[in-house]
């Protein structure tokens, strides 16, 4: 039998965040993170709640009050999604919440675009696909949605994408990063073929791979591979490229966890 004091138990509860969960609900945790600006606050809150109509209503109010639509994308929509991302990273909310928020944010971005002739500058371009022979695209859909919500331009090739189509798209679009997902172990070897063909053409760029069939050891075997354990890692990898460059070894040092 374990001989634990009350002080030991309190420490364990705090260590594993149980105490925090008892004291603060996800909504209360979000409330702590919202911006205080009275025009931006309702937009960020509507993003967190995944309420598309409320996002548009709050954007209209901000525009009527003098805010520029193009500025609201970064100053409110991105801020609201930042709240969602932080809570997800901390395990306070889960993927369904993130997807609802991403949809609400993308709807808000389209509304802002409709209210101005200015075009928002994307952080960068990413090509996403599901491996050839694999029809399971839920993971890829989440990756693409999160990247778009984070301000990236995404070329989504869909599922069961032939290797040569991936190569041709990379040559045409010249993205900062390629992503691939695979759920079936019989299809993940297409990633190695893509890697080799890109290198043959002199294209060296981060190739972020993930999905149920893929593990870090497999991805690390080929030169361009960077493993993403979670869908949200795609955004973190893209952000790291924007901030520090596309050095694949450095990206591996940061994102390969085992």
């Amino acid at each position: 039998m374990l001989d634990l004091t009350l002080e030991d138990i309190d420490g364990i509860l705090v260590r594993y965040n149980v105490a925090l969960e008892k004291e603060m609900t996800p909504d209360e945790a979000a409330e702590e993170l919202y911006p205080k600006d009275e025009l931006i606050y309702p937009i960020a809150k509507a993003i967190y709640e995944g309420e598309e109509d409320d996002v548009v209503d709050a954007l209209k109010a901000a525009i009527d009050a003098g805010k520029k639509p193009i500025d609201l994308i970064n100053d409110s929509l991105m801020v609201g999604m930042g709240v969602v991302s932080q809570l997800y990273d901390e395990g306070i909310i889960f993927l369904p919440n993130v997807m609802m928020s991403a949809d609400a944010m993308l709807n808000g971005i389209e509304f802002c675009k409709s209210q101005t002739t200015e075009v928002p500058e994307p952080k960068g371009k990413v090509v996403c696909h599901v491996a050839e022979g694999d029809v399971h695209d839920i993971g890829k859909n989440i990756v693409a949605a999160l990247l778009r919500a984070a301000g990236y331009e995404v070329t989504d090739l869909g599922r069961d994408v032939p290797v040569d189509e991936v190569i041709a798209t990379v040559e045409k679009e010249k993205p900062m990063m390629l992503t691939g997902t695979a759920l079936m172990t019989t299809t993940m070897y297409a990633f190695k073929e893509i890697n080799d063909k890109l290198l043959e053409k002199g294209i060296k760029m981060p190739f972020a791979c993930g999905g149920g069939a893929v593990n870090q050891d497999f991805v690390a075997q080929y030169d361009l591979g960077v493993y993403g354990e979670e869908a949200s890692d795609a955004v973190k990898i893209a952000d790291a490229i924007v901030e520090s460059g596309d050095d694949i070894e450095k990206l591996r040092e940061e994102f390969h966890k085992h």
Side-chain angles (χ1 to χ4, degrees):
M1 181 175 176
L2 292 174
D3 185 16
L4 295 176
T5 66
L6 287 175
E7 185 175 309
D8 292 330
I9 293 171
D10 285 342
I12 292 170
L13 290 177
V14 172
R15 169 66 181 82
Y16 290 99
N17 222 27
V18 176
L20 175 61
E21 290 174 3
K22 287 183 177 179
E23 294 171 4
M24 187 176 291
T25 67
D27 290 352
E28 290 168 340
E31 197 70 38
E32 295 279 317
L33 300 174
Y34 293 142
K36 305 308 178 187
D37 186 302
E38 62 180 12
L39 292 174
I40 304 302
Y41 168 86
I43 301 171
K45 184 175 182 181
I47 292 290
Y48 163 77
E49 294 173 346
E51 296 291 345
E52 295 183 14
D53 291 343
D54 290 349
V55 170
V56 172
D57 288 344
L59 287 169
K60 286 178 180 176
I63 292 169
D64 290 343
K67 297 282 188 181
K68 293 179 64 176
I70 200 71
D71 291 342
L72 286 171
I73 293 177
N74 286 324
D75 296 346
S76 64
L77 296 173
M78 293 293 186
V79 170
M81 199 66 204
V83 170
V84 174
S85 296
Q86 182 172 336
L87 295 178
Y88 174 72
D89 287 343
E90 293 174 0
I92 297 172
I93 61 174
F94 303 98
L95 265 179
N97 308 92
V98 176
M99 293 304 295
M100 287 177 61
S101 295
D103 287 342
M105 180 192 171
L106 293 172
N107 191 58
I109 289 175
E110 291 307 311
F111 174 77
C112 287
K113 287 180 179 178
S114 73
Q115 302 300 302
T116 181
T117 56
E118 296 183 74
V119 179
E121 187 70 29
K123 291 182 183 178
K125 184 182 292 185
V126 180
V127 171
C128 300
H129 83 291
V130 179
E132 184 171 2
D134 203 322
V135 297
H136 303 89
D137 62 356
I138 293 177
K140 183 270 300 171
N141 291 343
I142 294 171
V143 166
L146 293 179
L147 284 165
R148 287 189 175 112
Y152 291 93
E153 179 184 345
V154 174
T155 299
D156 185 346
L157 296 179
R159 60 189 181 180
D160 185 15
V161 185
V163 167
D164 288 341
E165 182 179 342
V166 176
I167 301 300
T169 302
V170 168
E171 288 186 294
K172 176 184 176 183
E173 299 294 337
K174 297 179 173 53
M176 58 181 281
M177 181 175 80
L178 170 67
T179 78
T181 59
L183 189 66
M184 302 165 60
T185 54
T186 54
T187 64
M188 66 183 188
Y189 296 98
F191 295 158
K192 177 67 166 60
E193 189 176 351
I194 289 170
N195 173 87
D196 293 347
K197 287 194 172 186
L198 288 173
L199 289 176
E200 286 173 7
K201 292 178 176 293
I203 301 172
K204 188 172 183 180
M205 55 176 291
F207 181 13
C209 299
V214 183
N215 60 43
Q216 181 177 297
D217 289 340
F218 174 74
V219 175
Q221 291 177 19
Y222 47 92
D223 293 349
L224 306 180
V226 181
Y227 178 63
E229 192 166 32
E230 303 286 346
S232 58
D233 286 340
V235 175
K236 295 174 186 175
I237 295 169
D239 286 346
I241 294 170
V242 170
E243 184 175 340
S244 303
D246 61 0
D247 186 304
I248 292 167
E249 287 306 317
K250 287 184 179 179
L251 291 171
R252 287 180 171 184
E253 288 175 11
E254 182 173 353
F255 293 99
H256 287 199
K257 303 171 184 177
H258 309 301

